[in-house]
Amino acid sequence: MNQHDLYMKIFNMKEELGGLIKEHWQLYSNMGTGYFWLNLATVIVPLIAWLFLVDRKRVFEIAFFGFFTHVLWYMIDSFLTSGNYFNHPHSLFYLLPQGISVSAVLFPVVFMLLYQYCTNHKKSFWIYSVIGCFLFAYGYGLLMISIDMVRLHKGMNLLYLSLIDVAVVFIAYVMTLLFLKLRQKG
């Protein structure tokens, strides 16, 4: 098979896959289902909570940390989803990436608020975040698995998700510390 034929085969399969995802959403995840409303609440409620709870004096620092967690988890989520290690059978909308409500909103908001709490109260963010990551994976993750919002495949499990959470939060924290150092030097 030459390059053009292979490209066209990939293109056609992606078109077919897009149609199947749309059909699945229309049948099982549409606005008439609890899955849709749970996804919507997972976006709206954390954002409203963050707006009320964020330390306004440090909003850019905290938002930088949250943005970094969002970008990292979104990239990892995309990789895990495309490799079928991790799947979100019910997304907010079929045109949006799977799992966007968790990787773009819920996870970053939870850990932005934890970051804010630890830094404001001189608590060890390293320790609190490890505990938070395991609670997030085993608490929220287990709940999402039990109601079919998340499916794990190919040996993926909650321990691995916990460790990924830890890695994401630690990298975001280190990058935020570097960002703060750069700001002090400027």
Side-chain angles (χ1 to χ4, degrees):
M1 186 176 300
N2 67 33
Q3 181 181 359
H4 177 74
D5 292 341
L6 186 57
Y7 171 81
M8 289 310 298
K9 186 174 183 177
I10 293 168
F11 176 83
N12 291 329
M13 288 183 123
K14 285 173 73 177
E15 288 287 308
E16 183 179 347
L17 178 61
L20 290 171
I21 290 170
K22 178 180 179 181
E23 181 180 357
H24 183 272
W25 185 86
Q26 290 172 332
L27 292 173
Y28 306 110
S29 306
N30 63 65
M31 291 174 56
T33 66
Y35 295 120
F36 174 84
W37 295 104
L38 181 59
N39 270 314
L40 190 62
T42 305
V43 171
I44 293 172
V45 172
L47 287 176
I48 291 171
W50 186 79
L51 288 172
F52 283 104
L53 297 172
V54 69
D55 182 346
R56 301 224 186 308
K57 295 176 191 147
R58 299 176 52 216
V59 70
F60 290 108
E61 170 194 344
I62 294 164
F64 178 84
F65 173 80
F67 177 73
F68 218 92
T69 60
H70 154 66
V71 169
L72 283 175
W73 232 122
Y74 177 73
M75 290 184 332
I76 291 167
D77 190 90
S78 295
F79 169 77
L80 293 175
T81 301
S82 68
N84 281 329
Y85 294 97
F86 186 82
N87 232 317
H88 307 270
H90 305 282
S91 59
L92 181 59
F93 189 61
Y94 68 90
L95 293 174
L96 294 174
Q98 289 186 349
I100 196 78
S101 56
V102 175
S103 64
V105 183
L106 184 62
F107 186 85
V109 167
V110 166
F111 284 91
M112 279 189 285
L113 293 175
L114 183 64
Y115 170 79
Q116 175 181 299
Y117 172 80
C118 289
T119 54
N120 282 350
H121 294 92
K122 307 223 184 309
K123 304 287 184 187
S124 172
F125 182 71
W126 301 104
I127 293 170
Y128 275 70
S129 62
V130 168
I131 294 167
C133 289
F134 277 84
L135 287 174
F136 194 87
Y138 281 92
Y140 183 75
L142 196 56
L143 173 65
M144 293 297 102
I145 289 169
S146 70
I147 61 172
D148 198 33
M149 290 290 287
V150 170
R151 293 183 190 170
L152 305 178
H153 304 283
K154 295 183 174 181
M156 180 57 67
N157 60 49
L158 294 174
L159 175 62
Y160 293 156
L161 289 179
S162 301
L163 297 174
I164 292 168
D165 288 349
V166 169
V168 166
V169 171
F170 279 13
I171 292 168
Y173 184 56
V174 168
M175 293 307 294
T176 303
L177 293 176
L178 288 171
F179 177 75
L180 292 172
K181 288 260 187 229
L182 287 173
R183 188 176 74 176
Q184 287 174 351
K185 290 183 180 183

